[in-house]
Amino acid sequence: MSFAPPQQQQQPRPYYAGPGQPGQGQFAPPNGQQQPQPHHQQQRPPGAPFTNVRPGAPVQGNPAVRPMQPGMRPPMQQQPARPPVNGAHQQPGGPRPNPGSPSAARPPMGPRPPMPSNQQIRTASPLPGQQPGMSHAPSPRPVNVNQAPSPMGAPGSAPGQPSGHQQPSYQRAATPLGHNAPPSSQPQPQPHHQQQQHQQHQQHQQQPLQQQAPQPASPLSSAQGHQNGGDMNGLYNQMSNMNVGSNGGLDQQPNTFSAMPPAGPPVQTEFKAKTGARAKRVFAADPSAPPPSQGQAGMMPPLPGMNTFDAQTPVQQQQQQPYGSQNFGQPAPVANNGYPQPHQQQQPMAPPPPYQQQQHQPQPQQPMVPPVYPQHQQQQQQQQQPHQQPQQQFRPQAPVQPGSKSRIDPDQIPSPVAVQEADQQEWEDTPFVTSSRTHATPLASSDFIAVDGGNCNPRFFRMTTYNVPNTEDLLSTAQMPMGLVIQPLAKLRPEEAPVETVDFGDAGPARCRRCKAYINPYMIFTNGGQRFVCNMCLFENEIEPGYFCNLDMNGRRLDLEQRPELRNGTIEFAVPKEYWNKTPAPAAYVFAIDVSWNAIQSGMLSQCVQAIKSAIWDDNGASRLVPGAQIGIMTYDKHVHFYNLHPSLDQAQMMVVSDVNDMFVPLSEGFLVSPDSSKATVETLLEMLPQIFAENKTTEPVIGAVVQAVRMALEDRGGKLMLFQTSLPTYGPGSLKHRDDSKLYGTDKEKTLYAPQDDFYKKLAESCVDAGLSIDLFLFPNAYVDVATLGCLSTITGGETVMFPNFNATRDGVKFQGNVIKMVGRPFGFNALMRVRCSAGLRITEHFGNFHMKNSTDLELAGVDSEKAFGVLVKHDGKLDEKTEASFQVALLYTTADGLRRVRVHNFSTPVTTLLGNVFRWADMDTTINFLSKGAIAQALSKPLNEVRDALTEKCVKILSAYRKNCASSTAPGQLILPESFKLFPLYALTLLKSKSLRGGKDINSDLRVHQMRMLKGMGVSESIAFFYPRMAPIHELDPKVGVTDLTGRVRLPRLIRVSYARLNSSGAYMLENGQCLYIWLGRDISSEFLSDVFGVPTLDDVDPQMRYLPELESPLNIQVRTIANYMQEQRAKYLNLIVVRQGKDQAELEFSNLLVEDKNNDAMSYVDYLCAIHRMIQTEVTTRPHEVPTGLWTSR
């Protein structure tokens, strides 16, 4: 290879990858200067290939970077998709790639000239060894990153990184995290081979475009570097060469992605994965590059990238346009949505290269949304500004997305949308057999049908990993918590078989005599069917004569098909009187309404009576409650009012108890009545309540006395109390003081606001547990109400707290009524006791959720419904045998809402493994993030929030580092390898940090934070996934097949998009839901046809932002949108309040933007920045911490 002399004119230094060392990129210094070379390079003859370097010698002066030698093992290895059924396991890291695969047959990369501009690349000739039209994936290469943001804002250092091959690493002084390295004051000399390579590339660019072969889906891209100290303390602004592929179930050619770091040496990022089975993903970076010189400011323009996480989509060439260049005409964004920011010094921006003026910025893929070009946007902005300016009193600031200075392409990092869509397609028409050992459990976000094959339905029981480590040491190495999330009364799909009930008569269900485990499909019958071996404690029990049956040749009972308890993973037993603590009776529902002055003025009372009527009776007047259930009505202010609702009365009779310090129930009968026989009396009373208390001036509601009275009334029965409270109780039993102090926010003393003021309500709640009385608390505060203290009533009794701050009847009335209807209609049990058992060698150590415990094993639940979930931490009590399986059993003893005493048993058995790779391969990220959130909430009561946030990030780093060090040790330390099952773990960890429960900032008061904390403690896995990462879909261009109900009652939803402002188009409309609210975002340039078809109005200004129902029109688009909204409503346990957001016009856009968790908001990083920060921390963890120490986040409550 010949090299031309260097040019005299100053040019941007080209990126050079020498032959024989793929990816060992360098930047040529300014011309006219010489760069000292290592000895082995000085001795190389001029023009000799770079592979002639002495074997084992350092490259370019870097002692840790060595050239690739013939026969060296490639840095990437592939893993098998699944372990076989027979328990065979693979070695950590997996076997080598299939020699017949495209990636294995790919020749090594040769010399590559510097990248041309974005327009030139699309017509450039293919790389050496690449056919036209073929995606060429270069070999893994290291990453030189000069700086990266720290996730916690603290300074740090980054170790050096070796090349893409496994070589010893070295340490050097690094720039602290969050600070930009000062540019070199002297230009760097340029190596002779780089000058000649740059000259050769200039000649290549001068060739006619028609002579250059097209190159679709080029694997390389870059972008202009920049320095911005105010953007997350130094961002990864650009990265390069992200190679994505995986090795699980599909044999596909790896896709590639490129990006670059900020204003410095080239950053090469590699991401390898193959969609389908659970494999591993590589995300390589090397922060060991020296600081760039000032002449190094110009970076190469980016190439169109590929969505490498959608294996079903062919490689396409797409233009990307980040938010910074098309912000829909909005004013310049303010960091963190206007929240106070710490002072950050702005770094000067490097000058762009000469050709930068001609490049076009990439635009993210926007399904069903036409691209909006900047010039066209400016014209629309000028045309709309005269008539929009007087109406735009509020202009919410979009999240910071500096698109003109692109960093990592967000389309190429792990996407929850792609993962969820792939899993949904897998289980769309295929039922999941729960006993399967070859298929992973469906994601919690998928709408699947489960067939009970011996293990319980995943809706009832989920684990953080479905391969249990055989020893405590293996679990500690994985750094993963072994936890269970149990939702014992979860609702099943209509297509799924209901839970069967078995009655053993007065003898009760068969149980183990030692551990008291219930009979289940995993107990082994021996001695001709006369004995059975318990799968929990391995004790051999004798069969009762009435339960005996002979065995067949395979050791199975002959009556197996007639014994559901021996076939199904979930079963209910009808139990005799020895399981009763009181005579079972149908549930009683008592509604206690605050009628103080605040309730009248806010409109809560009028909305409450309507909600109660709608919750008890449907539109036809039939009762919604189970047969036998009874209802009672109470009101209170400074006194407590009882009502006699006996059906023989013409109207209700009020009885007032004024001495609230000596509470009693003045009624012996008539307090609890049937909703059918007393329907007229109850309805008349509810309609009269707003008139009776219209002139009430009392401002002191006595909630403590009300709870005492209801507990006495239901002490022998049990049921549910629904309390409606408007203000802080300052009178009577349990009076509280105002203790909220905003000065404590953000300090170590803030956690004192999360604990109750005193133990009055705690003891009162415990007495309600003994009575089987569950309490749901509805709060309507316009000031501090001390949720931490009052919330004990619902937290300890297994109820739920619902908050409506600054309640407005017009805005919140529909949601209030909808929540009351849904909560009354849920499957409900009361007077319950739950215990979790595990097989020998394991033990239950911790429980998380809303419940009461008197001992270390049993959870006492005054009430439990279909949406309540509990977390359980499991630890080893000895070494497990990998030839056997680990078994778990959840037993819930409860009284059904119709008054039947039952024991619901969930059984689950899962393999034991000795391989760390199997622990990660069968891990469940959805369950893990839910379990971690429950543990973090428990820690927040005793530790400052900043420590809890740091611990969560540390746990994320340790889990991913454990996989990196133990399952991918053959790769270079500069590569971050994410397991397929946990590739979204950094994103969901970030969303947890952005939640109102844990995020920083003084804009969240203690009441709201405590409410969110306790809501997360009792939240199930499927609900939490949507809560952390909402669903968002475009609705302005719907396919005719979308929004149509099929024969099974299912509705096809539009294709989801990622939640980021960069995905929104000003001419589009989008629907977003997170399990709490349903938003419809309308762009400022939305077409009048859409507004007319959906809302029946011609312009955006005519859309009513206060509407809570979509208008019913005859247009097909209106029917589609309403069908989609109603279907989402049916999928959620809470009522989704409709909120219409008009871009740049409504204050609700601020809350909407906070739900776009991939952006920089909520006092936290963007997804891209956080992923880069996690990458640096993992790299430091891998290279500097050889011994793992558990974080201890889940060792104590």
Side-chain angles (χ1 to χ4, degrees):
M1 180 184 297
S2 62
F3 293 86
Q7 298 292 331
Q8 298 300 325
Q9 183 180 2
Q10 182 71 20
Q11 296 289 341
R13 294 189 296 167
Y15 175 73
Y16 171 74
Q21 50 167 355
Q24 191 60 37
Q26 303 291 337
F27 273 88
N31 298 323
Q33 300 193 21
Q34 300 295 329
Q35 178 177 356
Q37 299 180 352
H39 176 73
H40 68 277
Q41 295 188 15
Q42 296 176 1
Q43 299 299 327
R44 178 172 57 86
F50 209 60
T51 53
N52 290 340
V53 177
R54 175 170 50 87
V59 178
Q60 292 293 334
N62 189 340
V65 179
R66 302 180 183 275
M68 182 72 177
Q69 301 298 328
M72 287 185 64
R73 186 178 181 180
M76 277 301 304
Q77 296 182 1
Q78 295 183 339
Q79 299 176 347
R82 297 284 181 219
V85 181
N86 57 10
H89 306 293
Q90 70 165 36
Q91 296 298 326
R96 296 187 179 182
N98 183 7
S101 64
S103 59
R106 184 181 299 112
M109 286 189 61
R112 185 179 65 233
M115 298 305 303
S117 65
N118 200 22
Q119 295 178 345
Q120 294 172 333
I121 285 177
R122 286 196 289 268
T123 57
S125 58
L127 298 176
Q130 176 182 359
Q131 298 299 328
M134 180 183 69
S135 175
H136 187 87
S139 301
R141 297 182 290 177
V143 179
N144 297 324
V145 180
N146 187 34
Q147 55 199 359
S150 172
M152 313 320 301
S157 61
Q161 294 298 331
S163 67
H165 316 294
Q166 183 179 7
Q167 297 291 346
S169 61
Y170 75 102
Q171 299 289 335
R172 70 170 181 84
T175 304
L177 294 177
H179 299 277
N180 291 330
S184 175
S185 58
Q186 299 295 334
Q188 300 293 332
Q190 182 175 6
H192 179 67
H193 69 277
Q194 293 187 9
Q195 297 177 3
Q196 295 176 350
Q197 184 74 5
H198 178 52
Q199 176 74 15
Q200 184 181 10
H201 171 56
Q202 290 181 344
Q203 297 176 1
H204 174 74
Q205 286 186 335
Q206 294 175 3
Q207 299 176 2
L209 296 180
Q210 61 270 19
Q211 298 179 4
Q212 299 181 8
Q215 185 180 354
S218 174
L220 303 174
S221 68
S222 59
Q224 176 187 359
H226 77 287
Q227 296 176 350
N228 187 356
D231 190 4
M232 298 310 298
N233 298 329
L235 300 173
Y236 274 92
N237 295 333
Q238 302 166 353
M239 303 191 73
S240 75
N241 193 13
M242 186 176 229
N243 188 4
V244 184
S246 92
N247 45 12
L250 303 176
D251 189 12
Q252 298 179 359
Q253 183 174 353
N255 299 327
T256 58
F257 159 74
S258 303
M260 290 219 169
V267 177
Q268 304 161 6
T269 311
E270 211 168 285
F271 223 95
K272 297 200 171 201
K274 191 185 301 181
T275 58
R278 311 201 173 206
K280 61 183 179 182
R281 294 187 181 270
V282 179
F283 181 49
D286 185 1
S288 60
S293 63
Q294 294 181 357
Q296 197 176 341
M299 292 295 178
M300 294 171 287
L303 278 173
M306 297 185 303
N307 188 349
T308 57
F309 298 96
D310 188 0
Q312 307 299 329
T313 304
V315 177
Q316 297 178 356
Q317 188 170 350
Q318 303 168 354
Q319 287 189 352
Q320 310 293 332
Q321 184 175 354
Y323 172 79
S325 60
Q326 54 108 5
N327 57 357
F328 316 135
Q330 292 193 6
V334 177
N336 202 21
N337 296 319
Y339 292 149
Q341 293 289 313
H343 177 69
Q344 298 176 349
Q345 184 177 0
Q346 192 78 4
Q347 298 293 335
M349 184 174 295
Y355 62 82
Q356 190 74 19
Q357 300 176 358
Q358 299 179 359
Q359 79 175 38
H360 294 280
Q361 295 299 332
Q363 177 180 357
Q365 182 180 1
Q366 300 174 359
M368 298 178 290
V369 178
V372 181
Y373 299 97
Q375 295 180 356
H376 181 61
Q377 283 186 342
Q378 295 176 2
Q379 295 175 0
Q380 293 179 347
Q381 214 173 351
Q382 295 174 0
Q383 295 174 1
Q384 298 176 1
Q385 185 174 4
H387 66 273
Q388 288 184 356
Q389 185 173 2
Q391 302 173 2
Q392 295 177 358
Q393 299 178 358
F394 173 77
R395 298 178 63 86
Q397 305 300 325
V400 176
Q401 297 288 342
S404 60
K405 307 172 181 64
S406 176
R407 306 181 299 275
I408 301 176
D409 185 358
D411 287 335
Q412 306 304 322
I413 57 180
S415 166
V417 172
V419 173
Q420 293 174 6
E421 285 186 351
D423 192 77
Q424 182 62 61
Q425 291 178 2
E426 180 180 359
W427 303 109
E428 187 75 24
D429 301 318
T430 303
F432 170 70
V433 181
T434 59
S435 59
S436 173
R437 294 291 186 266
T438 59
H439 292 88
T441 304
L443 297 180
S445 58
S446 298
D447 188 11
F448 61 93
I449 298 177
V451 176
D452 194 333
N455 277 340
C456 62
N457 195 311
R459 293 182 174 87
F460 298 127
F461 184 98
R462 283 184 174 268
M463 295 186 65
T464 55
T465 178
Y466 294 98
N467 264 209
V468 176
N470 69 324
T471 62
E472 182 70 26
D473 293 339
L474 184 60
L475 180 62
S476 299
T477 303
Q479 290 292 321
M480 185 187 303
M482 185 163 59
L484 318 174
V485 177
I486 303 164
Q487 198 168 338
L489 296 182
K491 294 180 63 175
L492 298 176
R493 281 190 50 172
E495 299 89 344
E496 296 176 340
V499 177
E500 298 187 52
T501 302
V502 178
D503 190 353
F504 280 81
D506 295 337
R511 303 178 65 178
C512 175
R513 294 182 180 180
R514 175 188 290 178
C515 67
K516 301 301 180 182
Y518 292 86
I519 190 75
N520 61 76
Y522 299 98
M523 289 186 173
I524 301 175
F525 291 87
T526 61
N527 197 14
Q530 297 181 2
R531 294 176 178 270
F532 70 90
V533 179
C534 177
N535 62 322
M536 297 292 171
C537 64
L538 304 181
F539 181 75
E540 191 173 12
N541 298 266
E542 293 185 0
I543 293 289
E544 297 291 337
Y547 195 58
F548 170 78
C549 182
N550 291 316
L551 306 181
D552 61 9
M553 298 179 60
N554 296 322
R556 298 182 303 179
R557 289 172 58 110
L558 297 177
D559 62 348
L560 181 64
E561 296 300 326
Q562 290 76 38
R563 291 291 182 180
E565 70 275 11
L566 301 180
R567 294 183 288 104
N568 297 340
T570 297
I571 198 72
E572 277 200 351
F573 296 108
V575 293
K577 292 184 178 180
E578 62 186 66
Y579 290 82
W580 300 358
N581 60 351
K582 63 182 67 175
T583 302
Y589 295 83
V590 178
F591 302 91
I593 310 170
D594 179 2
V595 292
S596 63
W597 184 84
N598 291 327
I600 305 300
Q601 296 300 317
S602 64
M604 186 277 288
L605 179 58
S606 60
Q607 293 292 327
C608 184
V609 296
Q610 295 297 328
I612 294 174
K613 290 172 58 178
S614 301
I616 299 176
W617 299 282
D618 59 18
D619 296 337
N620 298 324
S623 174
R624 299 179 186 267
L625 305 181
V626 296
Q630 293 183 315
I631 60 174
I633 305 295
M634 297 176 62
T635 57
Y636 64 96
D637 45 19
K638 199 172 183 178
H639 305 144
V640 181
H641 316 131
F642 295 84
Y643 296 91
N644 188 345
L645 303 174
H646 197 276
S648 62
L649 299 176
D650 295 335
Q651 62 180 6
Q653 295 177 351
M654 177 191 291
M655 296 184 181
V656 181
V657 177
S658 58
D659 187 3
V660 295
N661 292 315
D662 187 14
M663 202 62 212
F664 67 97
V665 180
L667 295 173
S668 59
E669 62 178 10
F671 176 63
L672 297 176
V673 296
S674 170
D676 296 322
S677 60
S678 298
K679 180 177 182 294
T681 305
V682 175
E683 284 186 333
T684 303
L685 172 64
L686 293 175
E687 293 174 356
M688 292 178 58
L689 285 180
Q691 303 175 9
I692 295 175
F693 298 99
E695 302 298 328
N696 191 5
K697 303 299 181 182
T698 306
T699 60
E700 299 170 331
V702 285
I703 187 175
V706 173
V707 178
Q708 290 176 340
V710 177
R711 180 189 60 80
M712 289 185 287
L714 302 182
E715 187 171 7
D716 296 331
R717 179 169 184 164
K720 181 185 287 289
L721 168 62
M722 305 192 79
L723 274 170
F724 305 91
Q725 178 83 4
T726 59
S727 61
L728 182 72
T730 57
Y731 178 80
S735 60
L736 301 175
K737 298 180 181 179
H738 188 285
R739 58 168 179 156
D740 190 30
D741 187 0
S742 60
K743 295 180 181 179
L744 299 180
Y745 295 171
T747 66
D748 293 345
K749 295 183 179 180
E750 184 180 4
K751 62 179 180 292
T752 61
L753 300 176
Y754 307 152
Q757 286 191 30
D758 51 44
D759 59 353
F760 173 83
Y761 288 96
K762 179 180 179 181
K763 293 181 178 179
L764 181 60
E766 292 174 356
S767 66
C768 292
V769 173
D770 296 335
L773 176 61
S774 175
I775 300 176
D776 289 338
L777 186 60
F778 288 79
L779 298 176
F780 308 86
N782 53 16
Y784 179 70
V785 74
D786 202 348
V787 177
T789 303
L790 292 180
C792 291
L793 295 173
S794 58
T795 301
I796 296 177
T797 62
E800 188 168 341
T801 302
V802 182
M803 275 191 68
F804 296 92
N806 299 316
F807 179 80
N808 181 280
T810 303
R811 179 191 63 201
D812 304 320
V814 175
K815 182 177 182 180
F816 173 36
Q817 295 184 29
N819 276 328
V820 174
I821 296 173
K822 281 183 172 286
M823 291 173 66
V824 172
R826 292 175 184 172
F828 174 68
F830 60 100
N831 195 18
L833 190 72
M834 191 178 82
R835 175 179 291 188
V836 182
R837 296 178 174 89
C838 55
S839 56
L842 300 173
R843 57 190 173 94
I844 305 299
T845 59
E846 296 291 334
H847 300 82
F848 304 100
N850 299 323
F851 50 82
H852 175 57
M853 292 188 70
K854 292 182 179 179
N855 52 44
S856 60
T857 59
D858 298 331
L859 278 63
E860 297 189 26
L861 306 168
V864 56
D865 59 37
S866 59
E867 305 306 317
K868 299 300 182 295
F870 310 94
V872 177
L873 179 64
V874 183
K875 289 190 176 181
H876 285 80
D877 201 21
K879 185 176 181 180
L880 304 179
D881 186 1
E882 65 173 322
K883 297 180 181 179
T884 62
E885 292 191 342
S887 298
F888 301 90
Q889 186 178 86
V890 180
L892 177 68
L893 173 63
Y894 73 109
T895 302
T896 62
D898 53 355
L900 301 176
R901 197 68 172 165
R902 295 284 186 263
V903 173
R904 175 169 290 197
V905 179
H906 301 292
N907 299 286
F908 193 86
S909 182
T910 190
V912 176
T913 183
T914 60
L915 298 180
L916 186 64
N918 288 340
V919 176
F920 281 98
R921 186 172 303 109
W922 295 94
D924 189 333
M925 192 276 303
D926 295 348
T927 306
T928 302
I929 198 66
N930 180 280
F931 184 80
L932 293 183
S933 66
K934 289 175 168 56
I937 298 305
Q939 290 293 310
L941 301 179
S942 59
K943 294 182 179 180
L945 287 179
N946 58 342
E947 293 185 12
V948 176
R949 291 191 292 267
D950 292 345
L952 281 171
T953 300
E954 182 72 9
K955 174 57 75 172
C956 176
V957 171
K958 284 184 175 295
I959 291 176
L960 299 180
S961 299
Y963 182 86
R964 167 64 183 82
K965 291 190 294 185
N966 298 283
C967 299
S969 58
S970 61
T971 55
Q975 294 177 338
L976 170 62
I977 303 177
L978 303 178
E980 175 68 15
S981 59
F982 266 51
K983 64 186 176 185
L984 297 174
F985 193 42
L987 172 60
Y988 280 94
L990 175 64
T991 60
L992 179 55
L993 297 178
K994 288 186 175 185
S995 67
K996 294 179 181 179
S997 303
L998 299 178
R999 78 173 180 88
K1002 297 184 178 181
D1003 59 307
I1004 300 180
N1005 58 57
S1006 60
D1007 277 347
L1008 182 58
R1009 192 183 295 275
V1010 173
H1011 166 61
Q1012 294 282 322
M1013 285 181 174
R1014 291 176 175 172
M1015 180 179 66
L1016 278 179
K1017 285 176 62 178
M1019 188 176 291
V1021 179
S1022 59
E1023 185 181 359
S1024 65
I1025 292 303
F1027 180 76
F1028 290 134
Y1029 193 92
R1031 295 189 296 179
M1032 184 168 68
I1035 58 174
H1036 52 280
E1037 293 182 359
L1038 295 179
D1039 187 91
K1041 298 181 181 180
V1042 173
V1044 178
T1045 305
D1046 59 15
L1047 299 178
T1048 63
R1050 303 173 66 180
V1051 176
R1052 181 180 175 183
L1053 300 177
R1055 187 168 185 178
L1056 304 180
I1057 62 174
R1058 301 173 69 166
V1059 286
S1060 172
Y1061 239 111
R1063 310 286 171 169
L1064 304 181
N1065 190 293
S1066 62
S1067 61
Y1070 301 85
M1071 183 178 292
L1072 181 145
E1073 70 91 13
N1074 67 339
Q1076 309 290 320
C1077 294
L1078 179 67
Y1079 289 86
I1080 294 182
W1081 185 88
L1082 303 175
R1084 67 172 72 254
D1085 301 326
I1086 188 70
S1087 66
S1088 59
E1089 291 79 7
F1090 176 86
L1091 296 177
S1092 178
D1093 291 342
V1094 177
F1095 298 97
V1097 295
T1099 64
L1100 187 62
D1101 294 334
D1102 296 329
V1103 176
D1104 182 12
Q1106 300 298 326
M1107 72 170 59
R1108 292 298 173 257
Y1109 298 100
L1110 288 173
E1112 296 185 6
L1113 306 177
E1114 296 300 328
S1115 65
L1117 186 57
N1118 177 272
I1119 297 175
Q1120 286 179 292
V1121 173
R1122 285 190 291 110
T1123 303
I1124 294 172
N1126 294 336
Y1127 185 67
M1128 290 183 174
Q1129 190 76 255
E1130 295 174 358
Q1131 290 182 314
R1132 300 305 178 194
K1134 297 179 180 178
Y1135 185 83
L1136 303 180
N1137 191 33
L1138 177 64
I1139 301 177
V1140 178
V1141 178
R1142 300 173 299 173
Q1143 183 186 8
K1145 296 178 179 294
D1146 303 320
Q1147 284 189 337
E1149 190 170 11
L1150 178 61
E1151 185 66 24
F1152 173 83
S1153 63
N1154 286 337
L1155 296 178
L1156 306 180
V1157 291
E1158 290 199 20
D1159 295 330
K1160 178 184 176 182
N1161 51 28
N1162 294 295
D1163 200 38
M1165 299 179 181
S1166 67
Y1167 176 27
V1168 172
D1169 300 330
Y1170 188 74
L1171 186 62
C1172 295
I1174 289 292
H1175 171 215
R1176 291 182 60 90
M1177 297 176 69
I1178 292 177
Q1179 186 175 351
T1180 303
E1181 180 81 12
V1182 170
T1183 57
T1184 62
R1185 300 184 184 180
H1187 301 289
E1188 298 293 344
V1189 179
T1191 60
L1193 182 61
W1194 298 272
T1195 57
S1196 61
R1197 290 180 62 188

